[in-house]
Amino acid sequence: MAGGFLGNFFDLQARAFLDGHVDLAPGSIGIEGFIHDGKTYTYFPPFPALLRLPVIMTTHEFDGRLTLLSMAIAWLVFATVCVKLVWFLVDRLCGPQTTRGTAALVGIFVAGATGGSFLTFDASLPWTYHEVYVWAVTGATGSLYWLLRSLSDHQRSSYLWLFWFALITIGTRATEGWAICLTIIGVALIGRFRPRSAAQREGWWRLLLAGAVPLAMSIALNLYKFDSVYMFPLQTQVWTEISAQRRAALAANGGSLTGPQFFTTSFMAYLRPDGIRFVDYFPWITLPASPPPAFHGAFVDQAYRTGSITAFMPAFMVGFVAAVVAAFRPRAGEQLRVLRAPLVASVLVTGGVMAYGYYSNRYTSEFVPAMVLGGAVGIALLARLLTRAPRLTAVAVPLAAVAAAFSIAAQMSTGAYAAATMARGEALERYLSWQQTVSGGRLSVTEVDDFPSGGETDDLAVQGDCDSVYLNIGDAYEPWITVAERDWVVDLARDGRIKPGVANLVRVDAKAASGVDIRTNEDGQVRFELWDAVGRAYGGWYDLDPADATPVRVGVRHLTDFGVYRIDGLPGGTIGQVTSRYLAADVTTQPSTLRVTPATDSLSRMGLRAEVSRGAAPAICAQIADHGGPGTAD
């Protein structure tokens, strides 16, 4: 799936850097723009934009197409960090001797960390939002590893690598970066004033620079853009101007969307053990059926279906708990005590989402650094146990493999679903086809007379004689989406002498009305006119052949992947497009109302008559019928 508009933000930022400024063209990033001092800025830090410069400065060919490549590079770095982290901990806690059981556990951990974390879900949608998380998690995980190395070996190269990863983290996502940098600064100050060794006393200033310089750079950029050390003014965001819900949430929370009032809601959204759903149809593992509810009167901005880290990465959560207990117990040795600062940093990384009144499955990515660090420590502790009790290897390794496989399957399942439902069009039809084939018709299918309402998540609805197929995705802001719809065809034929006039053929009602008219002139010619609230767009004039029984045809096709009705004319080709869904004032996405009801009286006065028909039934509807759903006629 291409990133499209939601994947080009950093390309635009990179172009702005090349032009010598930070602000972007007005309107270029839509609702995500922040208008400050008359200029448009993005709240995203600049690292992914800087990463693009070698390509952006040499060609325009790949503009808007670099997000997926950037995410792939981040994943490779993340995988490398995971391998280095787990082997460092295994060597430190178990010694240099490596058994087959230990090697197997390390391999299982790497597979689970790289394929079974929420980064797999992020990879399903190559958007700017997800690119940010893949790089931020990579930066934070790398920072935790190099902080651990710096505290263990005190080498200059470790401090330098720590600096670069801290810079990547804060240069990609400020909340995670601040947590990392403040922890590094705190550890440096402890090394200065309460050192535990001569090496710690000598290296404190290098550690301080590794945290303070990236932090200072982040502060300087934020001051330049928003006149603020840390925050960005949500009141000036374009989305705030559009969304009444956002304005109400800001008013209810003192002008901000952060605070301790959201902690309980966040805890239940991201950490509850039942934050997952098992179903008896493909893909069998999915997100909870509804968005997380607000607790203790919290007024949240928006909430989408969100899985919990506890349910989707249970083995990593167990490893994290084991790591905390082992590192913070009073009699912990130096090899375990050194883990305290990285573990604290990994928890602080989650502070941004734990105190934020907006809920989405991608935000669970902020827990991944903690889970990876904790999981690596857990694997090292388990490997140490197996060296003392090798008979347990036959049980421990298969259990670890099953746990990793579960997380991988769960993340791939939710990622495939997200990719299909967001892409829509052929991708969604193909996904539902798999679902019907594999599941054998276990989904609920109902017949409706109009656009559906109510129902349960994953329900299917068929309108009329397979005129339309709809899917309930459980979203509070757009519960039902259109899967497929029959085409509309309007055939227009002569009905006497052609006279000048105009008649409506297609009308679409959304926030504002739009549609297509046909106009005739004194020369017996016709043309199509696309109109909306802004004005009219005219096509060329075409002569009508008196011998042609059906000289004019108009077709309407619902392109669900683009959210538009495409209207084609014969002769002339494509007339234009009109929206098939729109954002209402209450932030819900509503379907446009399509009317293909030619104005017969006007057409008759113009010397034309119309006949309306429908195209073939969607293939997915026939498949639903084959598995016990509503039938379809030819």
Side-chain angles (χ1 to χ4, degrees):
M1 174 183 172
F5 166 71
L6 294 177
N8 71 345
F9 293 1
F10 288 122
D11 302 69
L12 297 173
Q13 184 68 81
R15 288 283 171 204
F17 287 156
L18 290 180
D19 292 337
H21 53 84
V22 177
D23 58 293
L24 307 178
S28 60
I29 57 174
I31 61 173
E32 294 294 354
F34 283 74
I35 314 300
H36 188 70
D37 291 338
K39 296 181 178 180
T40 299
Y41 296 99
T42 173
Y43 65 91
F44 297 110
F47 172 75
L50 297 174
L51 190 68
R52 284 162 162 75
L53 287 178
V55 177
I56 293 291
M57 68 193 305
T58 56
T59 179
H60 286 268
E61 183 176 356
F62 300 105
D63 284 15
R65 300 164 58 189
L66 293 172
T67 297
L68 192 60
L69 176 60
S70 173
M71 294 173 70
I73 295 172
W75 184 88
L76 291 173
V77 178
F78 175 74
T80 303
V81 170
C82 288
V83 172
K84 292 180 69 68
L85 173 64
V86 69
W87 276 118
F88 176 78
L89 288 169
V90 167
D91 289 344
R92 185 174 179 83
L93 298 180
C94 301
Q97 298 294 332
T98 302
T99 65
R100 290 183 178 180
T102 298
L105 288 175
V106 168
I108 291 168
F109 165 81
V110 173
T114 56
S117 78
F118 281 86
L119 296 193
T120 299
F121 169 82
D122 294 337
S124 67
L125 297 171
W127 293 349
T128 295
Y129 314 108
H130 290 198
E131 179 186 0
V132 164
Y133 266 120
V134 177
W135 270 114
V137 168
T138 297
T141 306
S143 297
L144 297 177
Y145 167 68
W146 287 109
L147 176 59
L148 179 60
R149 285 287 302 269
S150 299
L151 296 175
S152 302
D153 57 31
H154 304 286
Q155 293 183 7
R156 294 184 180 182
S157 60
S158 297
Y159 295 125
L160 183 60
W161 278 110
L162 177 60
F163 164 78
W164 286 117
F165 274 93
L167 188 61
I168 290 173
T169 309
I170 205 166
T172 307
R173 185 162 174 81
T175 53
E176 295 190 22
W178 272 70
I180 292 294
C181 290
L182 289 178
T183 302
I184 295 172
I185 293 171
V187 173
L189 294 177
I190 291 174
R192 169 62 178 85
F193 296 105
R194 298 186 63 182
R196 299 179 65 90
S197 66
Q200 190 177 16
R201 182 185 300 108
E202 293 176 0
W204 74 271
W205 63 271
R206 294 189 178 92
L207 200 59
L208 180 66
L209 290 176
V213 172
L215 183 62
M217 295 171 68
S218 174
I219 292 173
L221 180 61
N222 213 65
L223 283 170
Y224 177 83
K225 293 198 296 186
F226 303 122
D227 296 322
S228 172
V229 170
Y230 172 70
M231 298 297 293
F232 39 84
L234 288 172
Q235 292 82 355
T236 66
Q237 189 178 18
V238 174
W239 174 243
T240 304
E241 299 176 9
I242 297 173
S243 170
Q245 172 69 16
R246 164 64 65 81
R247 294 192 297 272
L250 289 172
N253 293 286
S256 173
L257 293 179
T258 59
Q261 68 272 24
F262 298 116
F263 180 83
T264 305
T265 303
S266 299
F267 184 91
M268 297 301 291
Y270 301 124
L271 294 171
R272 61 187 300 167
D274 60 343
I276 195 170
R277 187 165 64 110
F278 299 96
V279 294
D280 62 352
Y281 47 84
F282 178 86
W284 298 290
I285 307 171
T286 183
L287 298 174
S290 58
F295 288 88
H296 300 158
F299 195 118
V300 305
D301 182 14
Q302 295 184 63
Y304 297 88
R305 293 171 61 193
T306 301
S308 75
I309 197 76
T310 309
F312 276 84
M313 300 180 68
F316 288 86
M317 178 60 77
V318 171
F320 179 79
V321 173
V324 171
V325 172
F328 285 91
R329 61 189 179 90
R331 297 184 179 180
E334 180 59 29
Q335 291 179 330
L336 289 171
R337 285 201 304 270
V338 76
L339 292 168
R340 291 176 179 177
L343 286 170
V344 169
S346 72
V347 173
L348 293 178
V349 162
T350 69
V353 295
M354 289 300 291
Y356 187 44
Y358 189 118
Y359 300 92
S360 177
N361 196 54
R362 66 175 179 269
Y363 287 166
T364 317
S365 303
E366 298 221 4
F367 292 84
V368 171
M371 294 300 100
V372 169
L373 176 59
V377 175
I379 285 293
L381 293 173
L382 180 58
R384 185 168 68 176
L385 174 64
L386 295 182
T387 59
R388 300 170 182 173
R391 293 182 179 180
L392 296 178
T393 302
V395 177
V397 172
L399 286 177
V402 169
F406 167 78
S407 291
I408 293 171
Q411 298 294 350
M412 292 182 65
S413 296
T414 56
Y417 178 85
T421 54
M422 293 305 300
R424 306 188 188 184
E426 292 183 2
L428 180 55
E429 291 186 58
R430 183 168 57 250
Y431 177 88
L432 290 175
S433 177
W434 296 342
Q435 195 172 60
Q436 291 292 326
T437 301
V438 174
S439 308
R442 289 189 175 89
L443 279 78
S444 173
V445 184
T446 58
E447 296 185 37
V448 294
D449 297 325
D450 203 345
F451 195 86
S453 61
E456 302 291 337
T457 299
D458 295 338
D459 283 356
L460 290 167
V462 176
Q463 180 184 0
D465 185 20
C466 265
D467 293 332
S468 301
V469 180
Y470 305 100
L471 171 67
N472 190 318
I473 60 172
D475 186 350
Y477 312 104
E478 190 183 15
W480 289 90
I481 62 174
T482 303
V483 177
E485 185 176 348
R486 288 181 187 258
D487 295 343
W488 290 87
V489 179
V490 181
D491 286 311
L492 294 134
R494 285 178 175 271
D495 190 20
R497 186 173 67 87
I498 301 298
K499 302 175 183 179
V502 61
N504 179 248
L505 300 178
V506 179
R507 179 185 175 94
V508 176
D509 291 310
K511 277 187 175 180
S514 59
V516 172
D517 293 345
I518 185 171
R519 186 181 295 272
T520 55
N521 63 17
E522 294 179 350
D523 298 326
Q525 296 176 311
V526 300
R527 75 177 182 189
F528 300 114
E529 299 181 0
L530 180 70
W531 55 269
D532 57 20
V534 177
R536 285 179 175 263
Y538 305 102
W541 289 103
Y542 300 98
D543 295 318
L544 295 182
D545 184 354
D548 194 343
T550 56
V552 178
R553 170 171 288 176
V554 174
V556 181
R557 172 163 293 180
H558 192 179
L559 304 180
T560 58
D561 43 352
F562 294 99
V564 297
Y565 291 109
R566 190 187 72 198
I567 305 173
D568 297 305
L570 182 67
T574 299
I575 299 170
Q577 298 176 344
V578 294
T579 182
S580 64
R581 58 182 187 262
Y582 65 96
L583 189 68
D586 60 357
V587 200
T588 61
T589 299
Q590 300 292 337
S592 302
T593 302
L594 172 69
R595 294 186 177 90
V596 186
T597 53
T600 54
D601 291 343
S602 298
L603 288 170
S604 179
R605 289 192 294 270
M606 296 160 59
L608 296 170
R609 68 175 183 273
E611 180 180 345
V612 179
S613 60
R614 301 298 299 268
I620 186 62
C621 198
Q623 192 170 6
I624 292 172
D626 291 342
H627 289 91
T632 178
D634 294 334

